[in-house]
Amino acid sequence: MKCQPHYRRVLVKVSGEALIGEGEHGVDPREAGRIADDIAEAVATGTRIGIVIGGGNIFRGVAGAARGMERVSADHMGMLATVINALALEHALAGKGLETRVLSAIPMPTICEPYARTRAVAHLDKGRVVIFAAGTGSPYFTTDTAAALRAVETGCDALFKATQVDGVYSADPTTDRNAVRYDRLSYHDVLVQNLRVMDAAAISLARDNNLPCLVFSLHEPGGLSAVLKGVGRYTIISTQEGEGHG
């Protein structure tokens, strides 16, 4: 029997660094294509998918501010970096035969559509992949917060956070062999333990709107569709108290 997806509509958060590949910065078309393959497989399950992609492979507003740049200008530069990544991913998805729209919180109608909730919902309802660019359109907010916001606005059933590892750990498992992996966490657990899987604003927004957050590995082929079906390896953050160790 075919395993059906558990969610009818999700928002997938992808870091800008996921597009780097073996380089130090920029966009590797091969990595964009690999991510597009996973998204295409997930779309084939029937789930409607929105995407928020970061800009850290090109420019981070926080890093620019730390080097002495004025924070608002630095954050605006970071938002523009996400637009570049969104266009790159749009091209990769088109190559897989997927109909895709880029909606930007900063209006730039010559290259993509301006964000409007009703427009985004209409595209999703028609089965198009929607890539939300330019964060929230305001400085001081991360793309994690933008992902939670867009997920809530467009009626998503869950927020999927694609990371470098297969869930949430008590510490960085690449540097700490004693790091503990969690199968399930509450929003409260994440905030109190300062687990940093997403910023506090994103977690709080998800909690206030009862939006489950699933954290999974970006590097597992077919990982997104597997998690959609409930058979992949991931950590779920939700209202349920308590935590399980994997």
Side-chain angles (χ1 to χ4, degrees), residues 34-199:
R34 183 184 64 80
I35 294 170
D37 283 334
D38 274 3
I39 293 170
E41 185 176 343
V43 168
T45 68
T47 300
R48 303 294 194 247
I49 293 179
I51 301 169
V52 167
I53 189 163
N57 56 318
I58 298 173
F59 189 85
R60 282 187 177 275
V62 172
R67 293 194 296 268
M69 182 176 292
E70 194 270 325
R71 175 64 187 271
V72 173
S73 295
D75 279 356
H76 282 144
M77 292 172 68
M79 291 178 213
L80 294 176
T82 72
V83 177
I84 294 172
N85 286 340
L87 294 173
L89 186 55
E90 178 190 35
H91 176 77
L93 289 168
K96 308 299 178 182
L98 296 180
E99 192 173 0
T100 308
R101 296 290 187 275
V102 175
L103 273 59
S104 173
I106 299 175
M108 45 187 77
T110 57
I111 60 173
C112 58
E113 297 180 33
Y115 172 74
R117 187 192 67 82
T118 52
R119 180 183 288 117
V121 170
H123 285 319
L124 289 167
D125 286 345
K126 292 176 181 177
R128 296 165 179 157
V129 176
V130 177
I131 306 174
F132 300 98
T136 66
S138 299
Y140 298 101
F141 292 99
T142 68
T143 49
D144 279 348
T145 300
L149 178 62
R150 297 296 182 241
V152 172
E153 287 180 324
T154 58
C156 289
D157 301 315
L159 169 59
F160 280 49
K161 174 72 181 285
T163 67
Q164 305 300 313
V165 293
D166 59 354
V168 181
Y169 286 77
S170 59
D172 186 348
T174 63
T175 59
D176 186 347
R177 292 189 300 174
N178 296 317
V180 175
R181 182 185 175 279
Y182 303 101
D183 288 325
R184 179 178 293 275
L185 290 162
S186 70
Y187 306 112
H188 180 75
D189 293 331
V190 174
L191 293 171
V192 170
Q193 297 180 44
N194 196 28
L195 293 175
R196 298 182 181 275
V197 62
M198 289 189 287
D199 64 79

